[in-house]
């Protein structure tokens, strides 16, 4: 590392008062115009901004900051409250729609045919008059040997 680089690296520490120049470094600075220019820039820049901090009122700054944080907390709480109210309203609407939906039976009602309980889902879509005519044909007595044949024929006609 050359003398200029070493001095350039130590300039910030010396400007802040954390280090001091050695006699060799002082001799180098007095003889090197490039290092002298850099040292002038570092010294001037180390003094920038010192006056800004002196004019600040720490009490009013901290009070303003705390008021701002309190206001932000209140706004955040208000947004959460409205979000929760919106979610509650949506849940209420969903519950009302869900409850008022017409419910369909899970299993069709069983029909009694010839003393047996048989489920006939084909009868679900019929009008009352149609159901009555089907019921009357099913209530007529049939010979014991033809009951099964008639039932199969009846079901075949309904299946199409």
């Amino acid at each position: 590392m050359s003398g200029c680089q070493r001095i350039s690296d130590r300039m910030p520490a010396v400007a802040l008062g954390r280090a001091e120049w050695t006699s060799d470094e002082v001799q180098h600075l007095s003889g090197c115009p490039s290092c002298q220019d850099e040292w002038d820039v570092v010294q001037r820049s180390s003094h920038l901004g010192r006056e800004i901090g002196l004019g600040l009122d720490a009490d009013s700054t901290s009070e303003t900051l705390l008021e701002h944080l309190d206001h932000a907390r209140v706004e955040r709480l208000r947004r959460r409250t409205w979000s929760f109210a919106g979610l509650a309203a949506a849940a209420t609407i969903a519950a009302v729609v869900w409850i008022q939906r017409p419910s369909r039976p899970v299993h069709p009602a069983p029909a009694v045919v010839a003393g047996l309980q048989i489920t006939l889902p084909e009868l679900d879509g019929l009008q009352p008059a149609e159901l009555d005519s089907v019921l009357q044909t099913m209530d007529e007595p049939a010979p014991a040997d033809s009951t099964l044949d008639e039932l199969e024929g009846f079901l075949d006609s309904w299946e199409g």
Side-chain angles (χ1 to χ4, degrees), residues 27-140:
Q27 187 178 7
H28 179 85
L29 272 172
S30 62
C32 179
S34 173
C35 289
Q36 287 175 359
D37 291 341
E38 185 178 354
W39 176 237
D40 287 340
V41 170
V42 170
Q43 280 183 319
R44 288 181 186 169
S45 63
S46 69
H47 297 294
L48 292 177
R50 284 190 181 173
E51 294 82 24
I52 293 174
L54 298 175
L56 288 178
D57 182 16
D59 291 335
S60 72
T61 302
S62 62
E63 186 176 321
T64 304
L65 176 64
L66 290 174
E67 287 174 7
H68 176 73
L69 291 175
D70 188 44
H71 179 70
R73 183 185 56 82
V74 168
E75 286 298 317
R76 194 170 43 248
L77 182 61
R78 185 175 296 141
R79 272 188 304 234
R80 283 186 190 161
T81 302
W82 279 108
S83 297
F84 180 73
L87 288 174
T92 303
I93 291 170
V96 167
V97 168
W98 182 264
I99 289 171
Q100 290 183 353
R101 256 185 35 200
S103 60
R104 302 186 76 199
V106 178
H107 301 291
V112 177
V113 178
L116 300 173
Q117 193 171 6
I118 300 173
T119 303
L120 298 173
E122 298 88 8
L123 300 178
D124 284 343
L126 296 180
Q127 297 298 322
E130 295 171 324
L131 284 173
D132 189 42
S133 68
V134 170
L135 182 61
Q136 293 201 8
T137 59
M138 295 173 72
D139 284 341
E140 296 175 358

